[in-house]
Amino acid sequence: MNSRQLQYAIKLSEIRNFSLVAEQLNITQPALSKQILALEQELGVRLFDRSTLPLTLTAAGEHFIREAKDLLYREDQLLKSMSDFSSGSRGRLTIGISPFRSLYLIHAVAKKVRDRFPGIEIVLQEAGSDQLRKDAAEGKFDFAIVNLPVDESVLD
């Protein structure tokens, strides 16, 4: 079962005519029939009653179409959210900071980041400067605010 088969079945459930659906989808009627038949065989149930004109959905078909619409909607939402991650408008920013600096500095910075990038989750990791330097070198933060000196050779 794939997204294309789900889309074909949904369209067929709406129009209820193989030839018209095939024409709208710019495929041949035999190709559409083959896709629907393969879907039904994979599922082990008949989705459409072909003995009626226009064709009708079976009980299994009615259930399948409801679930297929929901599944395609969720797939679309997933693709949109992944696009947000890809573009940088959504994600996670992990900041290493000392408890003292966190108390006085991070609130104002976090507010500005949230205002400008509402889809970004800010995660604070508090530790002492020595631990922050070690964790930053291991890539545990997107950035860290630490005391000098810093061995820049271990950082990108």
Side-chain angles (χ1 to χ4, degrees), residues 5-88:
Q5 288 174 317
L6 298 179
Q7 292 165 348
Y8 289 178
I10 290 169
K11 191 69 142 170
L12 188 57
S13 75
E14 294 166 351
I15 297 175
R16 299 177 188 255
N17 181 296
F18 276 93
S19 298
L20 292 176
V21 170
E23 185 178 316
Q24 287 187 10
L25 295 172
N26 292 319
I27 61 173
T28 65
Q29 187 273 325
L32 174 62
S33 294
K34 185 176 179 179
Q35 288 292 322
I36 296 299
L37 186 58
L39 177 62
E40 289 176 325
Q41 288 175 343
E42 181 180 345
L43 297 172
V45 295
R46 282 288 208 206
L47 301 175
F48 298 95
D49 180 356
R50 292 164 178 80
S51 67
T52 63
L53 287 177
L55 62 90
T56 58
L57 287 165
T58 64
E62 289 174 8
H63 176 75
F64 178 84
I65 294 301
R66 277 192 308 275
E67 295 296 320
K69 286 178 179 179
D70 185 54
L71 186 59
L72 287 177
Y73 173 78
R74 288 185 290 164
E75 178 185 39
D76 183 57
Q77 294 303 303
L78 176 61
L79 292 173
K80 286 177 182 174
S81 68
M82 291 300 101
S83 177
D84 289 345
F85 278 100
S86 177
S87 71

Side-chain angles (χ1 to χ4, degrees), residues 74-121:
R74 288 185 290 164
E75 178 185 39
D76 183 57
Q77 294 303 303
L78 176 61
L79 292 173
K80 286 177 182 174
S81 68
M82 291 300 101
S83 177
D84 289 345
F85 278 100
S86 177
S87 71
S89 63
R90 189 170 182 183
R92 179 180 298 135
L93 178 65
T94 304
I95 303 170
I97 191 166
S98 69
F100 176 77
R101 284 192 176 89
S102 178
L103 183 63
Y104 292 101
L105 176 66
I106 205 66
H107 178 73
V109 172
K111 182 177 178 354
K112 287 182 181 181
V113 170
R114 282 189 189 106
D115 289 346
R116 187 163 177 198
F117 304 101
I120 302 295
E121 173 190 9

Side-chain angles (χ1 to χ4, degrees), residues 130-141:
D130 289 339
Q131 185 66 45
L132 289 172
R133 282 189 203 92
K134 178 180 176 287
D135 289 349
E138 293 175 4
K140 293 185 178 178
F141 310 120

